[in-house]
Amino acid sequence: MNRKKLVIGGKELSSRFFLGTGRYPNPYVQNEAIRVSETDVLTFAIRRANLESPGEDAILQHLDPHSSYTYLPNTSGAKTAEEAVRIARLARASGLSDWVKVEISANEKTLLPDPIETLKATEILAAEGFTVLPYTSDDPILCKRLEQAGAAAVMPGGSPIGTGLGILNPYNLSLIIEEAEVPIIVDAGLGSTMDVTQAMELGADGVLMNTPVAKAKDPVKMALAMKLAIEAGRLSYEAGRIPKKRYATASSGLPSSLSY
């Protein structure tokens, strides 16, 4: 089959699964989950990384040294655009990555992204040549503004981060996807393969998750399940589902007249 590849910031990715590296029970389980997920992109909080010696960092040292992962460090913990920009600059200066997930939250209870500060940080970092993937709420207008500010991809949440509530507003998400001219990666709030498949069938270009895999009873099995759900959902989207109708339609038509 002729499958369209996902391209972000000029980089072609073979997987539409973006995976986080936190909260796993141990490094072995983390690496096995990463392996079966077949992800190209790994994300982690910059504040948890040792920027002075990234090669010796506890987060990164357990990964396969011969791998070619794209690192997507995030600015989790930042409460303002100024903080997020400073964190991103430090990460790039350390040689870690010029990709950055802008994540700015001013409310510790909901961890919902701050729209104004996120937009400010995206504008600044995109102008400085970063490949910026901002994490944002499912507001279609805001997502478009982030795209116009230079985001290489936009990452709306399905619901608050870590809740596992799934996609609370599929209508908004479908509008975001319909209007977007950059990839849309659904990030936050997903909990099951049902949520993932729904996101992909709505037309999302990919999914980012950490908690649903890392905190599952069997993270490795869950990573595999999520990978397959992403692939199935994408195939379903590309195939085109039948329209919903109010009344039944026979799967095999009856002849107009019957002879006995």
Side-chain angles (χ1 to χ4, degrees):
M1 291 182 293
N2 183 19
R3 302 291 305 280
K4 183 180 179 181
K5 295 285 188 178
L6 174 59
V7 179
I8 296 178
K11 179 173 288 190
E12 185 178 285
L13 304 172
S14 60
S15 171
R16 295 175 182 270
F17 192 177
F18 293 48
L19 189 60
T21 56
R23 311 192 71 188
Y24 289 88
N26 57 63
Y28 174 78
V29 171
Q30 171 188 285
N31 280 0
E32 282 299 290
I34 291 170
R35 181 183 64 81
V36 301
S37 75
E38 297 186 357
T39 183
D40 291 326
V41 180
L42 295 174
T43 185
F44 50 87
I46 301 171
R47 63 191 172 92
R48 292 193 294 115
N50 179 3
L51 296 181
E52 293 183 1
S53 302
E56 301 174 6
D57 187 85
I59 300 169
L60 305 177
Q61 67 178 340
H62 299 291
L63 299 175
D64 181 353
H66 305 295
S67 64
S68 56
Y69 297 117
T70 294
Y71 292 141
L72 176 62
N74 67 66
T75 65
S76 171
K79 291 182 169 55
T80 66
E82 182 180 3
E83 283 184 73
V85 168
R86 177 176 55 81
I87 292 169
R89 288 171 178 165
L90 285 170
R92 183 164 70 174
S94 74
L96 200 57
S97 180
D98 61 0
W99 283 40
V100 63
K101 174 187 170 184
V102 171
E103 187 172 338
I104 304 173
S105 176
N107 187 319
E108 293 184 4
K109 183 177 181 179
T110 65
L111 295 179
L112 289 172
D114 184 314
I116 296 171
E117 296 301 305
T118 298
L119 182 57
K120 285 181 184 177
T122 298
E123 290 173 338
I124 294 168
L125 293 170
E128 293 184 5
F130 283 86
T131 299
V132 187
L133 291 80
Y135 163 57
T136 182
S137 57
D138 60 352
D139 180 338
I141 303 302
L142 177 57
C143 287
K144 196 63 182 176
R145 292 285 186 267
L146 289 165
E147 176 187 318
Q148 293 167 344
V154 178
M155 308 179 77
S159 54
I161 192 166
T163 61
L165 291 172
I167 297 173
L168 297 182
N169 197 332
Y171 176 74
N172 270 23
L173 188 55
S174 67
L175 287 180
I176 291 166
I177 292 166
E178 181 182 337
E179 295 294 322
E181 295 180 23
V182 297
I184 300 298
I185 311 298
V186 177
D187 176 15
L190 307 183
S192 70
T193 55
M194 178 178 69
D195 303 331
V196 168
T197 305
Q198 182 185 18
M200 298 305 294
E201 287 187 326
L202 285 170
D205 294 283
V207 167
L208 186 151
M209 63 178 61
N210 187 176
T211 304
V213 174
K215 301 303 288 183
K217 291 181 180 178
D218 188 328
V220 179
K221 278 187 179 178
M222 188 60 78
L224 177 59
M226 294 300 191
K227 178 189 85 98
L228 296 173
I230 291 169
E231 293 174 354
R234 183 66 187 183
L235 278 172
S236 176
Y237 171 72
E238 291 175 351
R241 62 156 291 153
I242 62 170
K244 294 181 180 180
K245 294 187 289 187
R246 185 174 177 84
Y247 300 110
T249 302
S251 58
S252 56
L254 296 175
S256 57
S257 61
L258 295 175
S259 298
Y260 295 93

